[in-house]
């Protein structure tokens, strides 16, 4: 599998049922990650998510997140990458240094966007009514 924007080979993600969540064995890793985020002032900007697939995306497709702040729900659906109006990435995936070309893509190709969101529907929430009241 290859990323459609960067051409970088991408390993398939495990299905949700097979993906291993954080556990006690990850304590040192999380402490190190927290220290790096704090060092760069990003502790309140980034976190962790469990990378997984529920279904494969075809070449030229992207996963898009929308929401309904009144119902307090999130929705994800597939769109064609060249036709989507959803322009703001909300999730990224790291790319191993060995599998990429120097200078390829953002941050030298060290990450790939895996989910997009839009400011058109005020994702990730309304500024005037964030809690639905």
């Amino acid at each position: 599998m290859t990323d459609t924007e960067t051409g970088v080979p991408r390993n398939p993600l495990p299905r949700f049922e097979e993906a291993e969540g954080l556990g006690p064995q990850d304590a040192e890793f999380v402490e190190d990650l927290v220290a790096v985020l704090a060092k760069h002032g990003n502790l309140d900007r980034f976190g962790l998510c469990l990378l997984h697939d529920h279904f494969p995306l075809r070449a030229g497709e992207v996963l898009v997140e929308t929401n309904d702040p009144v119902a307090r729900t999130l929705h994800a659906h597939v769109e064609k990458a060249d036709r989507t109006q959803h322009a703001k990435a909300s999730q990224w995936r790291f790319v191993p240094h060995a599998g990429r070309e120097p200078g390829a893509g953002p941050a030298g190709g060290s990450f790939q966007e895996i989910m997009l969101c839009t400011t058109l529907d005020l994702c990730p929430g309304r500024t005037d009514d964030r809690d639905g009241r």
Side-chain angles (χ1 to χ4, degrees):
M1 183 180 299
T2 301
D3 181 80
T4 56
E5 289 184 23
T6 64
V8 174
R10 181 173 56 178
N11 292 329
L13 296 174
R15 293 192 47 79
F16 179 76
E17 301 82 23
E18 301 161 345
E20 183 181 349
L22 283 176
Q25 73 279 7
D26 299 306
E28 184 178 354
F29 155 71
V30 173
E31 289 173 13
D32 290 349
L33 186 55
V34 167
V36 169
L37 290 169
K39 174 183 173 184
H40 293 278
N42 287 321
L43 203 49
D44 292 326
R45 184 173 170 213
F46 296 110
L48 291 174
C49 68
L50 181 64
L51 296 180
H52 63 280
D53 273 337
H54 291 282
F55 47 83
L57 293 177
R58 294 183 183 103
E61 293 180 332
V62 292
L63 195 56
V64 174
E65 174 185 18
T66 58
N67 72 87
D68 180 340
V70 175
R72 299 173 58 197
T73 59
L74 293 173
H75 308 276
H77 64 276
V78 177
E79 292 186 9
K80 292 290 185 184
D82 61 353
R83 286 184 272 182
T84 186
Q85 295 181 32
H86 299 77
K88 187 174 185 177
S90 62
Q91 293 183 19
W92 302 264
R93 175 180 179 176
F94 299 120
V95 176
H97 296 291
R100 61 186 169 88
E101 295 179 27
S110 59
F111 61 86
Q112 299 165 327
E113 296 173 347
I114 60 171
M115 186 173 294
L116 304 177
C117 193
T118 183
T119 56
L120 298 176
D121 63 1
L122 302 174
C123 186
R126 294 184 189 184
T127 55
D128 60 334
D129 190 15
R130 287 186 186 247
D131 62 5
R133 289 187 266 166

